[in-house]
Amino acid sequence: MNRQWKTELIGIGTELLLGQIANTNAQWLSEQLARYGISVYYHIAAGDNRKRLTDIFTTAQSRSNLVIVTGGLGPTEDDLTKEAANELFGQSYRMDETAKEKIEAYYKKNNLSMTSNNYKQAQVFDQAYILENEEGMAPGQIVEYDGVIWVFLPGVPIEMKHLMTDGFFPYLKERYDLPTEIKSEMLRFIGIGESALEDCLSDRIRSQDNPTIAPLASIGEVGVRLTASADTIEEAKEIISEEKEIILSRLGSHYYGSDDSTIEEKVRDLLESKGYTIAAAESLTGGAFINELIHLPGASDVCDGGLVSYTKKAKEKSLGVSPYVTNRYGTISKECAEAMAERVQHIFSSDIGISFTGVGPSSSEGQEPGSLYIGLKIGDQRAYHHFYHMQGAREQVRKRAVKKAYELLFQLLRN
């Protein structure tokens, strides 16, 4: 049976509303459902209140055809998911014997006294399809009521994921036309913003069907996730390959890799392929640039070292930047950035010297917050600089600065 999916995810627990924990279940569920072409329309977080839960469930019944509820299946009085749902279903309960025996065995094995309310976890709807929980106590349940599929799962992430992967998706594939094979690939781009990328691909995004196309932005870069469905994994790969070729024909100059690739790894590989080494002089970034590089395998082949010269004194004494430069132009200037890059290249005898100097969240030396100078010295060429204005709080500025430097090196080394 084929179906147009309209899915609602409901996370139960007052701790979600108080911000004590993040609803990572909803994130994971949305990602997995998308792989099967199942659209999620609503994310809801609800507290442990029976009346409000009943109202939320009634609304979900009226507007969705797949409702996945996580949490509220435990043994305590504030675990109210089943009670609130049964205001809608009006079903009797039965005891799931497998879950009951597991609960009893757990308490016996650990020599603990079991109270009667623990049996509540084994209580299921009379007409439910049971998903056995091999990771915990409470089983999952599927109830099809008045055209809507309801799925009740524990809120513990490892239990929820197990029940979805080994229980719910096989259940759904038996009854509905879901693709046999799903394949996804994340294409990674740098040096282009999310809005510009979406504009370039607007016609492909508007007409998307199979594969689906999902732009995803992060600090300093953008990803495009392609997800294809087919009868075989080979066919799904071919569908993705054809769409990828179209996308790269438009955005290839910004593309650096797929899936788990990182821009830092790409720059390391480019340095290694050309036999270059690099050294960094960092002020604003406080060593973050070199740290991203040296944690990678093989970094010692391309990274000579780095210096954090945060103050004017450090720039003069440790790096050897001329006091004439710092006094006349300031430490946050193109002249200082170029001198820092030149000095660190000389100190480490590197092929490339790179430097960072700038302003965090408050102005300094007459420079606006977010001002950033990146200096570069390559071989025997004259040192030069790039200027940027970074948005965000202090840590955001630092992260964006590091990412921008890797973008510069990627374009420089590739070309």
Side-chain angles (χ1 to χ4, degrees), residues 246-260:
I246 294 171
I247 291 174
L248 294 189
S249 71
R250 304 180 185 185
L251 296 168
S253 62
H254 299 285
Y255 173 74
Y256 72 80
S258 295
D259 294 332
D260 295 329

Side-chain angles (χ1 to χ4, degrees), residues 61 133 159 187 219 226 234 308 312 324 370 373 381 395:
Q61 175 70 30
N133 187 353
E159 297 180 33
L187 312 182
I219 292 179
L226 302 178
E234 290 74 19
V308 176
K312 177 176 180 290
Y324 172 83
Y373 293 91
Q381 298 177 22
E395 190 59 25

Side-chain angles (χ1 to χ4, degrees), residues 278-353:
I278 190 169
E282 301 186 61
S283 181
L284 172 69
T285 49
F289 170 84
I290 212 72
N291 181 64
E292 290 293 327
L293 189 58
I294 63 175
H295 90 275
L296 298 174
S300 59
D301 295 330
V302 300
C303 178
D304 288 318
L307 288 171
V308 176
S309 52
Y310 200 61
T311 64
K312 177 176 180 290
K313 177 182 176 182
K315 290 175 177 65
E316 294 171 354
K317 299 296 183 182
S318 299
L319 270 178
V321 174
S322 168
Y324 172 83
V325 171
T326 57
N327 290 328
R328 178 168 183 176
Y329 301 107
T331 61
I332 306 168
S333 64
K334 63 181 182 181
E335 290 83 3
C336 188
E338 291 172 1
M340 290 170 66
E342 186 172 355
R343 289 301 305 157
V344 81
Q345 183 203 39
H346 173 76
I347 290 169
F348 287 98
S349 300
S350 300
D351 297 295
I352 300 173

Side-chain angles (χ1 to χ4, degrees), residues 362-384:
S362 57
S363 60
S364 179
E365 296 185 12
Q367 296 277 4
E368 293 183 6
S371 297
L372 168 69
Y373 293 91
I374 298 178
L376 280 166
K377 176 73 165 65
I378 302 163
D380 295 330
Q381 298 177 22
R382 181 184 179 92
Y384 64 99

Side-chain angles (χ1 to χ4, degrees), residues 46-108:
D48 302 304
N49 180 284
R50 181 165 175 170
K51 173 62 168 62
R52 273 173 282 185
L53 286 179
T54 300
D55 291 342
I56 288 169
F57 290 165
T58 301
T59 300
Q61 175 70 30
S62 69
R63 67 184 182 183
S64 304
N65 58 20
L66 172 60
V67 183
I68 302 176
V69 184
T70 58
L73 300 180
T76 61
E77 289 186 8
D78 63 353
D79 290 307
L80 299 167
T81 295
K82 285 179 286 192
E83 291 85 343
N86 217 23
E87 294 280 340
L88 194 66
F89 302 155
Q91 292 188 19
S92 57
Y93 296 110
R94 60 185 169 89
M95 194 67 66
D96 181 67
E97 291 300 323
T98 301
K100 177 185 174 185
E101 291 171 6
K102 179 182 291 187
I103 294 168
E104 291 173 340
Y106 170 82
Y107 280 90
K108 183 177 180 180

